[in-house]
């Protein structure tokens, strides 16, 4: 339909269902309701990414799937090592650690499992390296992703994912709307004057939330303002909530950089002027 220049509008299912008060639901009533909403210009259309953005999303999700597979293989190899007295942590994945794992005297079936998992780990690692090069190349060719990579702790994967999953930054009126779209706001069960806040709603893209949390762990070590915010939240709420709060703050920063088309240096200069 996009190639034929035919406009395709996708509606918000919850908003469309809310427009129908009767409990009867079948195809004929649904079609009549959609037609009525279109005629009255009340159709709750949602934003749809372009074909290019959907293709870039496929690249990022494909890489993420391979990373998860590699993590499962690493966990299996780590369990074998720890079961036989080898505790090296992340050093198990360097050359010396792999050589130590290969030299372990194991029973026949466990030895076969170790060898096959090591071969699979190396294959996954090489393939992920090639995907990383593709992501780096694409991110360098997109000006908006290049701007985001100027922020400390934000690499090509996080920058490109923020660019293609957020899309047009102008469709969010403020940072709270962005956080709600990604699902980084608390659930709320309030009544009257009493406010009850729960855990994260998680009504958004889980991949983008994951990347922001990973990037925030690196950004709080390099950005002084974000580091002060993170340490304050650690004292108030603990490490887990502090990391999520830092990730939300980082995501809003990236959205502002996209909206205003500025790099990290300009973002910091504006912050100094406002303070």
């Amino acid at each position: 339909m996009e190639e034929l220049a035919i406009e395709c509008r996708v509606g918000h299912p919850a908003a469309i269902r809310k427009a129908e008060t009767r409990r009867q639901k079948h195809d004929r009533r649904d079609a009549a309701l959609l037609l009525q909403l279109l005629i009255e210009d009340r159709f709750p259309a949602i934003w749809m990414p372009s074909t290019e953005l959907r293709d870039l999303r496929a690249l990022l999700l494909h890489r993420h799937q391979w990373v998860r597979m590699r993590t499962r293989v690493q966990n299996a190899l780590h369990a074998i090592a720890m079961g036989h007295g080898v505790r090296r942590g992340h050093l198990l994945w360097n050359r010396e650690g792999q050589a130590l794992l290969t030299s372990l005297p194991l029973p026949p079936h466990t030895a076969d499992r170790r060898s096959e998992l090591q071969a699979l780990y190396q294959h996954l690692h090489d393939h992920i390296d090639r995907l990383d090069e593709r992501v780096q190349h694409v991110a360098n060719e997109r000006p908006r992703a290049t701007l985001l990579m100027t922020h400390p702790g934000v690499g090509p994967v996080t920058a490109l994912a923020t660019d293609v999953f957020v899309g047009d930054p102008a469709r969010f009126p403020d940072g709270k709307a962005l956080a709600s779209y990604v699902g980084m706001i608390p659930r709320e069960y309030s009544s009257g004057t009493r406010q009850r806040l729960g855990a994260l709603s998680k009504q958004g893209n889980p991949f983008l939330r994951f990347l922001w949390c990973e990037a925030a762990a690196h950004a709080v070590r390099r950005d002084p303002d974000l580091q002060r915010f993170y340490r304050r939240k650690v004292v108030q709420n603990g490490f887990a909530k502090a990391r999520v709060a830092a990730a939300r703050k980082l995501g809003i920063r990236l959205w502002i950089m996209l909206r205003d088309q500025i790099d990290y240096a300009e973002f910091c200069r504006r912050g100094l002027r406002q303070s």
Side-chain angles (χ1 to χ4, degrees):
M1 296 179 67
E2 185 176 345
E3 294 175 356
L4 297 175
I6 300 176
E7 181 184 4
C8 179
R9 301 172 66 182
V10 180
H12 194 290
I16 293 175
R17 187 58 187 163
K18 192 182 298 184
E20 176 58 81
T21 57
R22 296 182 62 178
R23 297 185 65 87
Q24 289 88 354
K25 183 184 183 305
H26 49 77
D27 292 346
R28 188 171 297 176
R29 290 190 60 85
D30 290 345
L33 175 62
L34 294 177
L35 179 60
Q36 179 183 358
L37 293 175
L38 288 170
I39 293 175
E40 297 175 356
D41 198 20
R42 295 191 299 118
F43 185 77
I46 63 175
W47 176 80
M48 291 295 294
S50 64
T51 303
E52 179 187 7
L53 293 183
R54 289 197 297 269
D55 188 48
L56 293 176
R57 289 181 177 188
L59 170 63
L60 292 168
L61 292 174
H62 177 61
R63 177 196 173 274
H64 184 59
Q65 187 177 23
W66 280 79
V67 170
R68 292 180 62 186
M69 293 167 60
R70 182 179 64 180
T71 303
R72 294 182 62 182
V73 173
Q74 285 179 302
N75 291 340
L77 287 171
H78 205 172
I80 293 175
M82 293 184 65
H84 292 81
V86 177
R87 300 174 61 90
R88 294 180 62 93
H90 67 278
L91 298 178
L92 184 64
W93 314 115
N94 60 22
R95 184 175 302 175
E96 292 78 10
Q98 288 294 295
L100 177 61
L101 183 59
T102 305
S103 63
L104 285 178
L106 301 176
H109 296 302
T110 307
D112 291 342
R113 181 168 180 257
R114 173 198 57 193
S115 301
E116 293 176 359
L117 286 174
Q118 282 186 300
L120 181 58
Y121 168 75
Q122 189 60 45
H123 171 70
L124 293 173
H125 186 74
D126 294 340
H127 188 70
I128 291 172
D129 286 344
R130 291 193 294 269
L131 290 175
D132 286 339
E133 293 177 359
R134 291 172 59 184
V135 171
Q136 177 76 57
H137 177 71
V138 174
N140 290 335
E141 289 184 340
R142 295 183 65 86
R144 301 203 311 176
T146 305
L147 286 176
L148 297 184
M149 283 191 290
T150 60
H151 193 291
V154 177
V157 177
T158 304
L160 184 60
T162 303
D163 181 14
V164 301
F165 282 101
V166 171
D168 183 10
R171 62 195 184 99
F172 300 104
D174 51 28
K176 292 182 179 180
L178 172 72
S180 177
Y181 176 77
V182 181
M184 302 191 77
I185 59 172
R187 295 188 181 96
E188 185 171 0
Y189 305 92
S190 301
S191 178
T193 59
R194 183 170 181 178
Q195 187 182 41
R196 302 181 184 88
L197 299 178
L200 288 184
S201 67
K202 296 185 179 180
Q203 290 184 329
N205 192 293
F207 179 54
L208 195 56
R209 284 198 307 272
F210 168 78
L211 290 178
W212 283 359
C213 289
E214 292 293 308
H218 298 278
V220 295
R221 303 176 190 151
R222 306 176 186 178
D223 182 84
D225 182 57
L226 201 60
Q227 187 179 74
R228 287 191 296 268
F229 172 81
Y230 175 74
R231 290 179 175 176
R232 185 170 67 250
K233 290 299 180 181
V234 167
V235 175
Q236 294 173 352
N237 304 314
F239 287 100
K241 292 183 179 180
R243 184 171 181 178
V244 174
R248 169 176 168 154
K249 192 174 186 68
L250 174 64
I252 294 177
R253 281 185 170 194
L254 299 180
W255 169 73
I256 293 175
M257 293 169 64
L258 282 178
R259 182 195 63 187
D260 299 343
Q261 292 295 297
I262 58 175
D263 59 3
Y264 174 72
E266 177 62 24
F267 177 85
C268 293
R269 282 194 294 268
R270 293 186 181 186
L272 290 175
R273 289 199 300 266
Q274 292 177 0
S275 62

